[in-house]
Amino acid sequence: MISFQLHMTKKYEREFARIADAVRAARHVLLMTHENPDEDGLGAMLAFANYLETAGKQYTAYVIGTPPPRLSLLPKFDRLTSVPPAHADVLLAFDYGSFERLKLDKIGAEPSFIITLDHHPQQTQQGNVNITDPDFSSTCEIAYHFFKANGVALTPDIATCIYAGILADTGGFVHSNTSVEVFRIAAELKALGVDTEFAAKRILGLPSPSAARAIGLAYSRLVIDKESGVMYTCLSSRELEEYAATWDEVGMLVNMMNHINAE
């Protein structure tokens, strides 16, 4: 049986080669993801930032909104900026779903060559190269296959960025998108030096005692609709202020609720 890795390398062989060619020819690469970035978008972005830096390419890792402080574990996190470049030849856009979420009107002249890597179903993603495929667990998994297809050595820093996105988007390897291939990749990344315990605590764990108390309040209000199976709760902005917590810190509540057995 042909392996998933070989199958995807063959499926996107032409696209991966075009991306590599565009990056090699570019004078300046703009890296972007959706506003208020998450683990998968930032993980893929910063995996490429580490790759570009090793290759000696000029790049800007541009973000809209505030990157979650918990993701400061990602190498090159300190290179994230809210100041767009004056010019970029190539735009590499990750995990954004809808093209409008990139808010390209906030930057200067639009790059002439656009590349999209996204594991969400095709919506309004676009680009000269547009890999949009929900068969991947995460955009970081697509990044992994790009590096493999082009013979790019996975450094511990690149591996950490990729692992973070896969870990988050599989819900800690429990969602249905956790394939055998995902486990194989995770094992390879760990062997490359990823501190998987540290990553799990930072990405899946509660970020602070204040956030834990606020999430406890939300759990106390949990409502389960037996007929539809829908589960919901609520928190107000005022309550978050009282608990000295932020929306970003309690955002993980959604994934935590996925682990509740409501039967």
Side-chain angles (χ1 to χ4, degrees):
M1 180 185 296
I2 188 169
S3 71
F4 183 86
Q5 179 178 341
L6 181 58
H7 169 68
M8 286 305 184
T9 298
K10 289 292 185 183
K11 180 178 180 179
Y12 292 111
E13 183 175 20
R14 181 176 300 177
E15 288 85 351
F16 286 154
R18 288 188 69 199
I19 294 170
D21 289 343
V23 168
R24 275 192 293 267
R27 289 170 295 170
H28 195 105
V29 179
L30 173 59
L31 305 174
M32 292 185 68
T33 184
H34 55 78
E35 57 184 325
N36 300 317
D38 60 12
E39 291 87 350
D40 193 31
L42 278 186
M45 263 185 68
L46 294 179
F48 269 82
N50 281 275
Y51 157 58
L52 293 172
E53 192 145 315
T54 300
K57 303 297 295 187
Q58 294 293 316
Y59 70 91
T60 297
Y62 176 63
V63 291
I64 304 169
T66 304
R70 69 178 182 276
L71 296 185
S72 61
L73 83 158
L74 299 177
K76 296 294 181 288
F77 183 87
D78 60 341
R79 287 292 304 270
L80 296 174
T81 179
S82 58
V83 179
H87 172 76
D89 308 288
V90 172
L91 166 63
L92 258 165
F94 305 92
D95 194 52
Y96 59 84
S98 172
F99 199 70
E100 293 72 24
R101 296 183 74 195
L102 292 178
K103 299 187 180 299
L104 288 181
D105 58 318
K106 292 183 178 293
I107 67 174
E110 186 173 308
S112 58
F113 198 91
I114 297 176
I115 299 164
T116 289
L117 299 183
D118 197 345
H119 74 114
H120 295 103
Q122 180 65 49
Q123 300 178 56
T124 60
Q125 299 97 323
Q126 56 185 274
N128 301 85
V129 180
N130 182 7
I131 299 179
T132 305
D133 192 337
D135 283 342
F136 292 101
S137 66
S138 56
T139 301
C140 277
E141 187 182 348
I142 302 176
Y144 167 88
H145 287 285
F146 165 79
F147 294 135
K148 284 293 186 178
N150 284 284
V152 176
L154 295 182
T155 64
D157 285 350
I158 292 176
T160 296
C161 293
I162 293 173
Y163 186 85
I166 293 176
L167 177 69
D169 271 29
T170 59
F173 306 105
V174 298
H175 295 335
S176 60
N177 61 349
T178 308
S179 63
V180 172
E181 174 69 358
V182 165
F183 282 121
R184 187 199 64 75
I185 293 171
E188 179 182 345
L189 298 176
K190 181 175 178 59
L192 287 169
V194 176
D195 187 338
T196 54
E197 180 180 2
F198 180 66
K201 287 180 178 177
R202 288 292 295 272
I203 292 171
L204 303 177
L206 294 169
S208 69
S210 297
R213 295 185 186 99
I215 288 173
L217 176 62
Y219 270 131
S220 72
R221 295 170 173 167
L222 196 66
V223 176
I224 302 171
D225 185 275
K226 295 291 186 182
E227 187 172 336
S228 66
V230 172
M231 187 182 305
Y232 62 92
T233 185
C234 64
L235 282 172
S236 69
S237 295
R238 188 184 67 179
E239 288 165 341
L240 284 180
E241 289 180 8
E242 292 174 353
Y243 280 86
T246 66
W247 284 115
D248 176 66
E249 288 181 318
V250 301
M252 62 178 60
L253 175 62
V254 176
N255 283 331
M256 293 171 68
M257 289 170 63
N258 284 332
H259 296 278
I260 297 175
N261 187 343
E263 295 180 359

